[in-house]
Amino acid sequence: MAIQSRPAQDAQAWFRFARERERSQLEAWLSVGEWASQISHLVHMLQRERGASNIWLCSGGQLFAREHAFCVTQTDERADAFRAAPPSLASSGSLLAWRMACALWSLEQLPALRLRIRARDIEPVEAMDGFNQTIRHLVALLPEASETVDDASLARALTALYSFMQGKELAGQERATGAIGFTQGAFSEPLRQRLADRIDGQQRCFETFLSLVAADIRDRFYRHGEATRELEQLRRLACTRLPADDDNRARAVRWFALQTSRLDALRDIEEALIAGLLTQARTLLARAESNESPEAVLARRASESFAQDTPVALERHLLPLVRQQAREVESLTRQLASLQASLEERKLIERAKSLLISHQQLSEEQAWHQLRKLAMDQNKRMVEIAEAMLAVAQLWPVTRKE
């Protein structure tokens, strides 16, 4: 009895299959990529509404009433546009579908959050966290698109965009957090730590983004996306101690204006990243739909496979795991660094107190109050005053007891 053989596999058959899969994946990804602009617009308005809500709440409804109402209207318009242009469900994986469900559910919770804000029966930090959750679900939609990306350069561009959007969101949280402290006229230690974490976190995200983009985008970020000198001065005030004057509300408005100007500039860079990424994807799709002969395509792809940098290819597949591990490590690192920094600062302050006690014959309590007064007078942290004292300790004359 003759054994029936299976049809022989050949390069042409696999070429046709690979070409069709590549084309369908790129078309599906283009749908998501074009949708990314809608996400970016919506997130930007949610970020602005979040900051305006905080100033309005902290001022007891006296500041930003008009701005807050405008932001609500703009956010709703962007949310409607977002809902009207979803990616094709047929091409959506289960993770993207779940992310979409969570994002839409979070948007549906906004009216209830706004009611509490208008009634002023919600703390600013709680209101901010409500917006944070919605934005987090929206930004998380983009990485799911990487599941359909097989091209290493496209995956690299998508990773740059995602890192940038994370950095921009942390910058938005910085604006909202600072709005609370400046409007209230004081930063509690938890609020100050939250602000510092947002500043540090966005820098790490932007460093990743800068390592993945072309020189023209990097230059654009350095020119328009960095914090200005005035903004850095306000950061310093927030992270040390606010002056005891009546300018806190003016500082809050100025803080919001400077941060908004920066976030608008970051928004323009974000649009440029999305446009460049879509151009790249369309170029790949045009190549996939070209009439180039199978032999020429296979010869080129075979050579590209051997020339491709393996770590770059592996990066796409390991990216979700690496991100999760990085988040866990960063969280632990921040906790340990914060604890270590606190211990070191405490040691410096204790040494400065001992210096005051021995050289000026002060009591421990008097030494502490003198350090504190110097810090307040010079608008510096106590540890900075302590460091300055210790640096010139050898020049101090010893005050003898009578």
Side-chain angles (χ1 to χ4, degrees), residues 49-50 52-58 60-61 68 72 110-124 126-128 130-131:
E49 182 181 348
R50 177 180 57 195
S53 297
N54 278 355
I55 290 185
W56 189 83
L57 280 170
C58 293
H68 179 241
V72 168
L110 274 182
L113 176 62
R114 288 166 173 168
L115 282 175
R116 294 188 65 191
I117 291 172
R118 281 196 291 271
R120 301 210 300 273
D121 69 345
I122 185 172
E123 290 298 318
E126 184 183 353
M128 181 167 58
F131 284 106

Side-chain angles (χ1 to χ4, degrees), residues 339-358:
L339 178 60
Q340 182 65 29
S342 297
L343 291 173
E344 293 300 324
E345 289 180 3
R346 188 174 300 174
K347 289 178 184 177
L348 288 171
I349 292 171
E350 289 299 321
R351 287 173 58 196
K353 280 170 54 182
S354 298
L355 190 66
L356 288 170
I357 291 169
S358 62

Side-chain angles (χ1 to χ4, degrees), residues 182-394:
F182 281 115
T183 308
Q184 292 179 339
F187 283 82
S188 64
E189 281 306 317
L191 194 65
R192 185 176 286 118
Q193 186 60 53
R194 185 170 185 150
L195 183 69
D197 287 344
R198 269 58 184 175
I199 295 172
D200 292 342
Q202 66 186 268
Q203 290 305 116
R204 287 191 292 271
C205 291
F206 287 140
E207 285 171 6
T208 301
F209 144 76
L210 290 168
S211 70
L212 295 170
V213 295
D216 60 326
I217 294 291
R218 286 198 301 272
D219 292 342
R220 187 169 176 178
F221 175 82
Y222 290 136
R223 288 198 310 272
H224 307 294
E226 296 274 41
T228 63
R229 180 178 297 179
E230 186 178 0
L231 184 54
E232 288 288 1
Q233 290 172 346
L234 288 174
R235 279 177 169 179
R236 184 180 180 85
L237 283 178
C239 291
T240 53
R241 187 179 300 276
L242 295 182
D245 54 32
D246 297 326
D247 292 337
N248 291 317
R249 289 190 174 182
R251 288 192 190 94
V253 173
R254 186 58 182 160
W255 167 268
F256 191 87
L258 290 170
Q259 290 281 19
T260 297
S261 178
R262 182 189 179 210
L263 283 162
D264 287 345
L266 293 175
R267 171 79 183 86
D268 291 339
I269 296 172
E270 192 171 73
E271 276 295 293
L273 287 173
I274 294 170
L277 198 148
L278 288 173
T279 298
Q280 190 174 357
R282 292 188 184 107
T283 300
L284 291 170
L285 183 58
R287 190 174 74 174
E289 293 175 340
S290 69
N291 295 323
E292 193 175 6
S293 68
E295 290 78 9
V297 174
L298 288 169
R300 185 182 70 250
R301 292 298 294 261
S303 63
E304 286 176 354
S305 296
F306 284 107
Q308 189 178 42
D309 185 7
T310 302
V312 172
L314 287 175
E315 179 189 61
R316 180 176 61 84
H317 300 289
L318 294 177
L319 194 56
L321 177 61
V322 169
R323 283 177 184 157
Q324 178 60 31
Q325 291 176 337
R327 282 194 292 270
E328 293 172 358
V329 170
E330 284 176 6
S331 177
L332 290 173
T333 301
R334 281 198 301 273
Q335 293 174 22
L336 291 172
S338 178
L339 178 60
Q340 182 65 29
S342 297
L343 291 173
E344 293 300 324
E345 289 180 3
R346 188 174 300 174
K347 289 178 184 177
L348 288 171
I349 292 171
E350 289 299 321
R351 287 173 58 196
K353 280 170 54 182
S354 298
L355 190 66
L356 288 170
I357 291 169
S358 62
H359 282 257
Q360 297 190 9
Q361 307 302 318
L362 301 178
S363 68
E364 185 173 353
E365 185 177 358
Q366 288 173 329
W368 170 264
H369 284 300
Q370 183 162 332
L371 278 172
R372 186 178 179 184
K373 185 177 185 302
L374 285 169
M376 292 179 65
D377 290 345
Q378 299 181 35
N379 192 28
K380 292 182 178 180
R381 299 171 64 212
M382 284 183 66
V383 68
E384 294 178 285
I385 299 298
E387 287 175 337
M389 283 187 177
L390 294 170
V392 296
Q394 294 181 349

Side-chain angles (χ1 to χ4, degrees), residues 35 38-39 42-43 46 75-76 78-87 89 92 95-112 130 133-141:
W35 184 51
Q38 293 289 350
I39 295 174
L42 175 55
V43 165
L46 282 166
T75 299
D76 285 343
R78 289 298 176 188
D80 290 342
F82 169 75
R83 293 188 184 97
L89 291 178
S92 301
L95 287 176
L96 181 58
W98 276 114
R99 292 287 191 190
M100 181 65 171
C102 290
L104 290 173
W105 179 84
S106 294
L107 286 172
E108 290 168 2
Q109 310 310 305
L110 274 182
Q133 175 180 273
T134 302
I135 293 170
R136 184 167 60 249
H137 286 307
L138 288 166
V139 174
L141 286 165

